[in-house]
Amino acid sequence: GCGDNLKLDLCPDDQPGCVTVDDGTTSEELDAVFNNAVDGQVIILAAARYDLTAALQITANNVTLLGQGKDRTVLSFAGQTTGAQGILVTGDNFTARGFTIEDTAGDGLKLEGVDGVTLQSLRVTWTGGASQDNGAYGLYPVLSKRVLIERCEVSNASDAGIYVGQSEDVIVRNNK
């Protein structure tokens, strides 16, 4: 489906507000890209494995986060030492597509109070298998509106793979 085999290796020169994150980017550098995102930012994650030590956060509105496919772009939080989840989003109109989140300390991708959520072709997993020590939720929009979650895969969460809490106008379809 759309977004499973993206060919967006880098930002076009004529696209302002687009940032490409390359293979070899450190946890601290990726943290800065997420924390410093501005309204309308497009963040393209290259095909790579990113080893992260801290939770990532996006507070800006209209941010799009694009990987190169679930099997090609992996955000690993196996070495996470700080933060309650992998990625926390609080900005409106957020889109994420085409990457994997692994081994977060808590929830994989949490969206809190977001109006406009599109999550497509994502994978969230804990690679050690099922365990009560894994994060509770893989994909977790809470107190959000206008939510679409499709073609995503979640495995080994300690509670629920996809949990939509206190949200309205939600479509969850074709997920595993």
Side-chain angles (χ1 to χ4, degrees), residues 14-33:
D14 60 353
Q15 185 172 346
C18 186
V19 173
T20 300
V21 178
D22 296 316
D23 189 2
T25 298
T26 67
S27 184
E28 292 77 15
E29 290 167 338
L30 193 56
D31 182 58
V33 169

Side-chain angles (χ1 to χ4, degrees), residues 116-136:
V117 174
T118 302
L119 306 179
Q120 296 170 313
S121 301
L122 300 175
R123 178 186 298 129
V124 181
T125 190
W126 286 265
T127 59
S131 170
Q132 287 300 311
D133 295 328
N134 294 348

Side-chain angles (χ1 to χ4, degrees), residues 105-121:
D107 303 321
L109 173 56
K110 181 177 180 179
L111 306 105
E112 190 167 354
V114 179
D115 183 354
V117 174
T118 302
L119 306 179
Q120 296 170 313
S121 301

Side-chain angles (χ1 to χ4, degrees), residues 1-140:
C2 175
D4 288 336
N5 293 299
L6 298 174
K7 302 297 182 209
L8 299 169
D9 291 333
L10 54 111
C11 293
D13 291 336
D14 60 353
Q15 185 172 346
C18 186
V19 173
T20 300
V21 178
D22 296 316
D23 189 2
T25 298
T26 67
S27 184
E28 292 77 15
E29 290 167 338
L30 193 56
D31 182 58
V33 169
F34 278 58
N35 277 315
N36 296 324
V38 296
D39 290 356
Q41 187 103 59
V42 175
I43 301 169
I44 296 179
L45 301 167
R49 179 179 187 84
Y50 301 91
D51 292 308
L52 304 165
T53 57
L56 301 172
Q57 184 166 355
I58 294 177
T59 59
N61 297 321
N62 304 303
V63 172
T64 300
L65 184 55
L66 300 174
Q68 304 301 306
K70 291 180 281 198
D71 297 321
R72 300 180 65 213
T73 301
V74 177
L75 303 178
S76 172
F77 290 85
Q80 184 172 358
T81 55
T82 59
Q85 55 271 317
I87 302 172
L88 174 63
V89 177
T90 55
D92 290 340
N93 296 314
F94 175 77
T95 297
R97 185 180 303 128
F99 59 92
T100 290
I101 297 170
E102 291 181 349
D103 300 319
T104 56
D107 303 321
L109 173 56
K110 181 177 180 179
L111 306 105
E112 190 167 354
V114 179
D115 183 354
V117 174
T118 302
L119 306 179
Q120 296 170 313
S121 301
L122 300 175
R123 178 186 298 129
V124 181
T125 190
W126 286 265
T127 59
S131 170
Q132 287 300 311
D133 295 328
N134 294 348
Y137 308 127
L139 298 173
Y140 181 30

